Amino acid sequence: MSAPRHPAYEAFKYIGRPRRAVEHRRFVLGQGHFAADVHLPGLLHVAIVASPHASARIVSIDTSPALALPGVHAALTGEQMNDAIKPMLPGVDAPSVTRYPLARGVVRYAGEWVVAVVAESRALAEDAAELVHVEYEPLPHAVDPEAAMAPGAPLVHPAHGSNVIWQRRFDWGPVDAHFAAAEHTLAYRVRWSRSATVPIETFVVTGLWSDATQMLDVWASIQMPKYPDLLAACLQLPGNAVRVHFDVDVGGSYGVKRGLKHSILVGYLAKRLGRPVRFLEDRLENMRGGDMQGPDRLFDVELAFNGDGRVRAMRMRALEDIGAYSGRSPLQLGKPVGAIVGPYTIESVTYDACAVLTNKTPQEAVRGFGQSPTNYAIETGMDKVARFLGMDRIELRRRNLIPANAFPYLIPSGTHYDSGDYETVMDKALAAAPYAELCRERDALRAQGLLAGIGLSTCLEPSGGNSAFEPLFNPKNLTTTWMDACLVRIDLNGAVTALMGTSSAGQAHETLVSTVVGEVLQREPDSIRVLHADSLNALPSNSPVGSRMAIMLGGAAAGAARLLRSKLLAIAAHRFGVAPEALVYEDGDVFVQADPARRLGWAQLVEIAHRRYHEMPAGMEPGLQEKFCWEVPTGGQLPTADGRVQMYPCHSFESHLVLASLDPQTGQVRLHRYVVGHDCGVMINPDVVHGMTLGGVAHGLGAALFEKFAYSPEGQLLSGTFMDYLLPSAAEVPAITIVDHCTPSPLTTFGQKGSGEAGYLGGPAAIASAVNDALAPAGAAIDALPMTPQAIWRALQAARPTRS
């Protein structure tokens, strides 16, 4: 992995330098503190009775045998609970699509929760759950999203009147004119099948209600914007009656640790029973009913292009199967608006996006928030255009990539890309392979009787997510800020502490904040302590989603530290009787530029601020503590009437190069070489960025080749265990070379961009490109993920001429 070489790093003392993450020490020592490590006296445990049907009427529920068991405290149904709480918000304007933690009257997917059994132990709760008898009357169901849109299809929510929960067509630019003028057009369909992230830790939540304080304390493995506010609203509690403890480590998330329905259930039970209650999902509950399944999207795409390979216009229809209920899943069709042309100079776009309800497990946000499927669809098209024209795929991309001198670049949907040098990043990846050697290795593999191919992708990673997709998808939602904040204090002994209001799921936020604060105050980052506040002591935060924390939390931490530095300079200016501009701040000391002997050290400045009020400027507040709340750069605006919007402020870029071979007899895929060229601006900590990129590549490999939540025509989940839902292991993940490049963002504090979704946003497209390049000589192709051995074998069989 290459070290950063961009001149921007020369301005920094700590940023961009290799440094072990602060968090790693406690994890290596086995001293992490996870939600399941919270042990409270009198703790009760929850087990779930789930629906075996995709769609059915609940005729009756008999919980008496379960309640008769000693140690069982409750067997809660939706009839008992739902009138006392408010439904969860659907994310779009669909008020009749109501959703509660427990079903009432009907069930809408196999695995939906029907009864929650509470007992002294998890094992006892499970035993009691098996004694609950539920009588069902099966109802017609809808599983295929296209069939669900047809007239007469069974309605998942009859009160809504349709299975289409959201649909909008966007027209940006003269699409029809560009298609009419183009020398060629090409249409294709691709499918991104439903997969997830499958973190090691399932969702865990513990709730403790206090009658004395009238407060609900919550410990949860959470990654969700506005979680405390939404939890309080659904439980019909004041916001200051719910305290979420963000100082628990989250054992992986990648977007899916929402857990709102789990938390509502636990909060309600804790208040009702007067005992602390925990719900720790087992893997089956997590896979089929935990709302952790990701995008399930069908694309129909048309491209208009000329003989020189330049793509002028695109029509894209994206049909999203969101499952039985709507949370934020339809909004995953929104993130691609901000990068709808990828890194290319496509001049006009029609984007027809539709979210459809089916009788499947509901979706949740998954890493990339819908961008990776769109990248796959666009990159597949680029490869198809190259094959149509008989042009090299690399050359085709060169002709379409936005040039480095064109930034900031306005795309048809209204987003400005902040900075980039896409061709150079691609060239760095090609050189690192190196490409000529890759071609020789491919030819050698083919000579051995294997099918072999090289894959390429050039993809964007929009980062720093703002709230723009909320009013874009629901005009009644006028949210225009997605701020984040940080508080920094310097105590009397000169030690620096920073406070943030969010949990962390492995993104090393403590390292991020300590490095940024250390850079601004010029203090050793390892000496800076970073704490996670609880929600009542916390500062505003919209959580680590949308590759936003390097930009937003980093910017907020820098802002608070700069306020403190300005205060120290003001104290010194008052003491020396000079203007602050006449001073130099160096490693925490301040001296007069014209007379360096006139100097105040860090300890002296701190003591004045804390103890010598008579030596401070008139009216200055004593002490050293500052908060800074930062709005998303370029945010704060509503979409235009035609849906043009600045969706994300910053745009990282990645170019993947893959060499793959296929066994023509078994369809097994092996990845031999993998190179990633990556540009996320200034990397605050290169080791952390590289770690997230490596994990993202492995995640993308799973989506491309292995992982799929498959359903039967009856709506039964067929891959609810790791026997059927296949994950890549260390044996399948190849050695990965990462090549860094840096085009600093002009919008952020240090030039940083987001990187949390890196690897995943370009990996599936590149792997699919390699597999199809391998299949091409056999006359075969696959336009659906995952490309399993069975799918590859079927494609090869279909391509072989039948014998007469």
Side-chain angles (χ1 to χ4, degrees), residues 160-506:
H160 183 64
S162 170
N163 285 328
V164 175
I165 192 169
W166 184 87
Q167 184 171 19
R168 184 173 177 182
R169 172 176 164 150
F170 302 92
D171 291 291
W172 299 305
V175 178
D176 292 342
H178 284 151
F179 265 83
E183 296 175 22
H184 306 287
T185 63
L186 185 150
Y188 59 96
R189 168 174 278 203
V190 295
R191 178 69 184 263
W192 177 283
S193 295
R194 182 179 293 217
S195 59
T197 67
V198 199
I200 293 174
E201 177 199 50
T202 59
F203 190 79
V204 189
V205 57
T206 299
L208 172 65
W209 173 260
S210 169
D211 281 329
T213 62
Q214 292 290 290
M215 184 179 294
L216 176 68
D217 282 277
V218 177
W219 296 263
S221 53
I222 198 71
Q223 182 192 356
M224 180 181 182
K226 305 292 192 296
Y227 170 77
D229 312 272
L230 293 171
L231 178 56
C234 289
L235 289 172
Q236 301 192 84
L237 293 171
N240 61 4
V242 173
R243 177 167 53 197
V244 178
H245 296 264
F246 288 123
D247 60 344
V248 295
D249 295 310
V250 178
S253 173
Y254 322 103
V256 300
K257 291 286 181 73
R258 300 291 166 133
L260 184 59
K261 73 176 187 182
H262 310 63
S263 305
I264 296 168
L265 176 62
V266 162
Y268 177 85
L269 287 167
K271 189 171 186 291
R272 175 169 171 163
L273 299 176
R275 293 268 297 271
V277 176
R278 170 181 293 162
F279 181 20
L280 193 164
E281 291 179 322
D282 65 23
R283 187 60 68 178
L284 178 60
E285 288 168 341
N286 176 257
M287 297 281 274
R288 73 172 182 172
D291 306 334
M292 51 76 73
Q293 300 183 14
D296 189 353
R297 194 171 302 174
L298 185 65
F299 293 93
D300 290 293
V301 186
E302 293 180 84
L303 297 176
F305 54 98
N306 293 329
D308 62 0
R310 296 186 184 274
V311 180
R312 298 199 64 193
M314 176 176 70
R315 296 186 181 118
M316 175 181 284
R317 175 180 178 264
L319 178 63
E320 184 76 39
D321 179 350
I322 70 165
Y325 295 96
S326 172
R328 295 182 70 80
S329 51
L331 277 60
Q332 295 191 89
L333 290 164
K335 181 170 184 174
V337 169
I340 195 64
V341 297
Y344 305 116
T345 56
I346 299 173
E347 301 169 59
S348 61
V349 176
T350 289
Y351 180 49
D352 187 355
C354 181
V356 179
L357 295 157
T358 62
N359 293 109
K360 295 178 183 173
T361 300
Q363 276 192 35
E364 261 307 347
V366 164
R367 190 184 215 152
F369 206 55
Q371 188 65 50
S372 193
T374 306
N375 288 349
Y376 160 64
I378 294 172
E379 291 301 289
T380 297
M382 287 294 168
D383 280 1
K384 287 181 180 292
V385 169
R387 287 197 178 94
F388 179 90
L389 295 173
M391 184 181 294
D392 181 78
R393 290 170 293 161
I394 298 170
E395 178 59 28
L396 181 89
R397 283 170 170 80
R398 286 194 200 283
R399 297 185 183 191
N400 287 281
L401 288 172
I402 298 165
N405 61 5
F407 292 92
Y409 184 84
L410 178 63
I411 68 171
S413 60
T415 285
H416 280 93
Y417 294 166
D418 54 331
S419 65
D421 189 356
Y422 303 155
E423 188 171 355
T424 297
V425 176
M426 182 178 72
D427 285 341
K428 281 189 171 184
L430 292 167
Y435 185 66
E437 182 180 318
L438 217 59
C439 292
R440 287 193 294 270
E441 191 171 346
R442 175 202 60 197
D443 295 342
L445 289 167
R446 288 176 175 177
Q448 297 171 23
L450 297 172
L451 299 173
I454 296 172
L456 176 70
S457 70
T458 46
C459 298
L460 286 182
E461 179 186 358
S463 55
N466 61 32
S467 62
F469 46 76
E470 294 184 348
L472 184 69
F473 275 59
N474 183 0
K476 294 179 181 178
N477 187 334
L478 299 180
T479 304
T480 56
T481 182
W482 248 38
M483 68 291 192
D484 253 87
C486 184
L487 183 145
V488 181
R489 65 169 62 99
I490 304 169
D491 61 33
L492 178 58
N493 295 319
V496 182
T497 303
L499 196 68
M500 58 181 171
T502 185
S503 56
S504 182

Side-chain angles (χ1 to χ4, degrees), residues 452-628:
I454 296 172
L456 176 70
S457 70
T458 46
C459 298
L460 286 182
E461 179 186 358
S463 55
N466 61 32
S467 62
F469 46 76
E470 294 184 348
L472 184 69
F473 275 59
N474 183 0
K476 294 179 181 178
N477 187 334
L478 299 180
T479 304
T480 56
T481 182
W482 248 38
M483 68 291 192
D484 253 87
C486 184
L487 183 145
V488 181
R489 65 169 62 99
I490 304 169
D491 61 33
L492 178 58
N493 295 319
V496 182
T497 303
L499 196 68
M500 58 181 171
T502 185
S503 56
S504 182
Q507 306 96 330
H509 294 147
E510 295 167 38
T511 302
L512 163 70
V513 172
S514 63
T515 303
V516 165
V517 173
E519 185 68 49
V520 174
L521 294 179
Q522 297 180 26
R523 309 298 290 174
E524 170 58 48
D526 286 347
S527 72
I528 297 170
R529 188 172 301 279
V530 182
L531 301 176
H532 298 260
D534 64 60
S535 60
L536 295 186
N537 289 301
L539 300 150
S541 174
N542 280 282
S543 84
V545 296
S547 287
R548 67 192 308 274
M549 297 313 270
I551 297 168
M552 295 305 300
L553 180 58
R562 283 174 172 170
L563 290 174
L564 284 172
R565 189 176 66 183
S566 296
K567 188 170 184 177
L568 294 172
L569 284 164
I571 291 171
H574 176 72
R575 177 76 174 269
F576 293 134
V578 300
E581 294 76 19
L583 300 175
V584 175
Y585 183 98
E586 183 180 76
D587 295 332
D589 298 347
V590 178
F591 60 86
V592 179
Q593 186 171 15
D595 185 4
R598 301 179 67 192
R599 174 184 295 263
L600 283 172
W602 173 263
Q604 293 171 290
L605 290 165
V606 169
E607 181 159 338
I608 291 171
H610 280 280
R611 302 183 65 178
R612 302 182 187 177
Y613 190 63
H614 61 286
E615 296 184 20
M616 294 179 68
M620 179 177 283
E621 183 181 278
L624 292 169
Q625 177 171 294
E626 296 289 348
K627 178 202 80 172
F628 189 82

